[in-house]
Amino acid sequence: MKATVENIKTIIEAAGISGSADDLQLNVPLTGQGLDSLDMVNIYLQIEEEFDIKIPDEDLSRVQTIEDMIEYVNSAKSGDESV
Amino acid sequence: MLAIKTVAGYLPAKTISNYDRKEKFQIDDNFIENKIGVRRLKVRESDEKASDFCVKAYENLLKKSDVKSEAIDCCVVVTQNPDYKLPCTATIVHGKLGLPENCACFDISLGCSGYIYGLSNIIAFMKSNNLKNGLLFTSDIFSDIIDHDDKSTALILGDGASVTYISDDGGWLPGNFSFWTRGSGYKEIICDDHLFMNGRSVYEFASTTVSKHIKNFLSENNLEDGDIDKYILHQGSKYIVDTICKKLSVESSKVPYDISEYGNTAASTVPLVLEKEIDKTENNKMLLCGFGVGLSWGSAIIERRARH
């Protein structure tokens, strides 16, 4: 399954954020849009479970925006060596 | 049959407010109230040690129990912050309480899973050795070891203690226990110089491993949610307790959350909640679950002894 704006936003909503994920900008760090560190931890876990991938701690700086998350997941799923 | 008779807690009077630290840690009221769920932490006075907290917990026990110091034949302290590297803190408590010399004393070095392990250990030890009146203490002072600039720990960890009186006429019988360890995760919560906790890993552990463990434990004991009156979970934070509650799909009213005014006290969180729950008449069977540093986790079922 590929990551898309829709399914990543669904994951973000399911993490229990205040407000709607539809209001989130795709290329702005989520922590700059009202999400806190605990929200991010929950989102990373949901992404890992949903897409059956692992996001190691050293890669967290690469998954700060919705666009980052889509790219990261799809690279991991395609076995991109740059991941 | 040996059982839990009385539980008493001790929390120091000195308090730190997380509202006073909002600017320092760049947090807001929502984070304090609804995420970490800790408004205030209780912290020790300047020179108290774990044994001093045990003594104060025992003083609170005396106010609500007929325990006699001269009859105590077993004293166990669960702590990861002992008074000294040696001797064990239980012997120091023995001396401070003036317990008799025929009393067995030892420590158990575990954190958030410690009450579960401690409860099983003291009952099994007492039963094997025909002992009759035991005290199971939990006591940790984190003020010494946390990094007060570390958001992951400084906002959450508090100091506290408890004592559980175990006797033949106790009202709460322990049932089955279950114990688990993942030593490969030992670095996720570790103290060398200062305490370090990988918040992300600990959250994932609680959310996935601990939730599955509780479900499996119930199933293995032929129990369903309807059989359990309360789930007394280690109070890591509100976020963790809420997450496990959601993963278990149980009513939140059955999963007490209690630490907003004193913080996460490691092994003491379960008995501090238990103290409030064991006298409620609606509670007859409860599941206790501790999980954390080690990584170590475990659960127990306790049931109110039938009244005749």
Side-chain angles (χ1 to χ4, degrees), chain B residues 119-138:
Chain B
L119 188 61
S120 174
N121 267 272
I122 192 171
I123 286 177
F125 183 85
M126 288 174 68
K127 186 177 174 185
S128 295
N129 296 284
N130 199 30
L131 304 177
K132 300 296 180 190
N133 295 282
L135 300 174
L136 173 65
F137 290 94
T138 61

Side-chain angles (χ1 to χ4, degrees), chain A residues 29-62:
Chain A
L30 292 172
T31 51
Q33 300 189 67
L35 278 67
D36 60 41
S37 54
L38 287 174
D39 293 325
M40 297 303 289
V41 162
N42 197 0
I43 289 166
Y44 295 139
L45 177 60
Q46 300 304 318
I47 288 174
E48 289 180 331
E49 290 182 344
E50 182 71 19
F51 296 103
D52 194 25
I53 63 167
K54 279 293 175 193
I55 309 174
D57 287 347
E58 56 266 28
D59 283 355
L60 292 181
S61 61
R62 297 170 55 190

Side-chain angles (χ1 to χ4, degrees), chain A residues 36 39 42 48 55 57, chain B residues 35 198 200 203-204 208 239:
Chain A
D36 60 41
D39 293 325
N42 197 0
E48 289 180 331
I55 309 174
D57 287 347
Chain B
K35 293 296 178 64
N198 183 330
R200 182 189 175 208
Y203 174 76
E204 288 187 5
T208 56
Y239 205 62

